[in-house]
Amino acid sequence: MDELELVGRRYERIAAPHPQVIESGHARLLDAIRPTPRRSAKGRIALRLAVAATAVVALVAALTTVREPDPTTAPAAPAGSPAVRLAERARTVARSEPLVTMGPHQWIYVRSMQRDTKARSGRRVVESWIRMDGRRHPADRLPLAVHGTVLTGLPEAPEAALARLYAEVDRIRARPQPKGRVTEYAAGIIGVPRDAAVFDFVTRLLDAYDVTPRSQATLYGALSRLPGVEVLPDVPDTAGRHGVAFSIATSDASRLELILDPRTYRYLGLRDVITRDHGRNEEIIYGVARLSARPVARPGERP
């Protein structure tokens, strides 16, 4: 490979030079190679070397001279997908909120409204107590696969946060499941595509714990980078409140929705939807509306 090709490859990503720069270099090159009388052999060799050096210098000068972009003609930066834009809006709002962290032994009280089409009771209000390390109220015997301690030290950068969530999901999927028992919340993580498992992990994390606004915004940023995540502009939760939702297909005929308040972008609830006839016929098989969540001193205590 010769010197010109090396230089060309080194600067192949630099913008095109101004035409005047090229003309000036071209003129200097012509002056250098214009024949002169009575050159000796040594002089001719020296001239050839000078010509080659001049050509390289001219090429480098032309390639490294970049014009300032014209703001009236420069292309606009891509705005990102609807999911990324939604996550950025949530992050902007959450910046005004204090950064609050909770220790692994902090108990959380959650009150929510649930709707399960398979249950005869329809909508019902339920209360639950859970510790940030996943420990449950003594009355709840089923283990919880999602632990709130993942929020401790969760990076705010969306890509880094997503990598941490992938690692948590992989840990759950690789862990042996209790024989003869149903692991609560693990059904949406095991036996589904990895991206859908991460989405489900985040919904269960928001549903089970009191996640602060800034941590919620971090989780939304991670979700917005997941392949296949879309935004639904108007989705009602189980309590009838309308919000905007992230959604992901969990199979060819189902999707999971994460509903946010359209003004504060705080978590409202989730929906599990069965789709038929290419989305023309839908059925909500499960839904949750978060009513309240607060830290408490012990299980059984209400704020």
Side-chain angles (χ1 to χ4, degrees):
M1 184 180 298
D2 59 29
E3 294 84 356
L4 292 179
E5 186 174 354
L6 282 172
V7 174
R9 290 193 175 186
R10 173 64 180 82
Y11 294 95
E12 62 184 356
R13 294 186 177 181
I14 298 179
H18 195 281
Q20 293 179 355
V21 175
I22 297 178
E23 292 176 2
S24 176
H26 187 240
R28 292 197 301 272
L29 181 60
L30 290 178
D31 290 339
I33 65 175
R34 184 173 291 112
T36 58
R38 299 178 184 178
R39 294 282 186 184
S40 64
K42 291 183 179 180
R44 288 194 297 271
I45 294 174
L47 175 61
R48 290 174 182 174
L49 292 175
V51 168
T54 303
V56 172
V57 171
L59 178 59
V60 171
L63 289 173
T64 56
T65 304
V66 181
R67 288 177 293 172
E68 292 295 327
D70 185 351
T72 62
T73 60
S81 69
V84 171
R85 292 197 298 269
L86 176 59
E88 287 299 324
R89 293 198 298 271
R91 184 179 181 181
T92 300
V93 173
R95 282 174 182 166
S96 61
E97 298 286 345
L99 182 60
V100 181
T101 58
M102 299 184 190
H105 296 163
Q106 176 65 60
W107 284 94
I108 305 297
Y109 165 81
V110 176
R111 184 171 180 265
S112 59
M113 179 181 291
Q114 297 181 357
R115 177 191 178 192
D116 190 344
T117 56
K118 298 179 181 179
R120 296 181 179 180
S121 58
R123 293 181 177 87
R124 61 192 181 104
V125 175
V126 298
E127 297 177 308
S128 63
W129 288 264
I130 186 170
R131 213 165 68 169
M132 291 297 290
D133 61 0
R135 181 180 173 183
R136 305 295 300 274
H137 187 280
D140 297 320
R141 297 181 179 180
L142 294 177
L144 186 64
V146 179
H147 295 171
T149 50
V150 69
L151 298 170
T152 303
L154 185 67
E156 289 192 321
E159 291 78 8
L162 181 58
R164 174 79 179 276
L165 296 176
Y166 272 125
E168 288 294 317
V169 165
D170 292 341
R171 177 185 60 82
I172 294 173
R173 289 155 73 99
R175 186 173 57 197
Q177 298 302 305
K179 294 182 179 180
R181 300 176 65 189
V182 177
T183 303
E184 187 177 1
Y185 292 163
I189 298 174
I190 299 171
V192 299
R194 190 167 178 246
D195 295 331
V198 170
F199 193 100
D200 188 271
F201 181 93
V202 171
T203 62
R204 305 307 176 179
L205 188 64
L206 291 167
D207 187 49
Y209 299 94
D210 181 21
V211 183
T212 62
R214 288 183 63 169
S215 293
Q216 288 187 28
T218 298
L219 294 173
Y220 302 154
L223 287 186
S224 71
R225 269 65 177 182
L226 274 176
V229 170
E230 299 179 350
V231 171
L232 304 176
D234 185 17
V235 178
D237 70 3
T238 302
R241 301 170 299 188
H242 284 255
V244 59
F246 292 105
S247 73
I248 193 171
T250 52
S251 72
D252 292 338
S254 63
R255 72 171 181 268
L256 187 59
E257 301 170 351
L258 176 62
I259 309 171
L260 322 178
D261 185 289
R263 184 177 59 86
T264 65
Y265 302 104
R266 296 192 181 187
Y267 169 70
L268 289 183
L270 62 91
R271 299 198 316 178
D272 200 349
V273 182
I274 295 294
T275 60
R276 302 183 182 91
D277 302 327
H278 303 286
R280 290 190 293 269
N281 186 11
E282 299 182 349
E283 179 185 1
I284 302 169
I285 60 173
Y286 182 73
V288 175
R290 163 69 62 81
L291 302 180
S292 64
R294 294 288 187 274
V296 292
R298 61 188 61 85
E301 178 180 307
R302 295 177 176 83

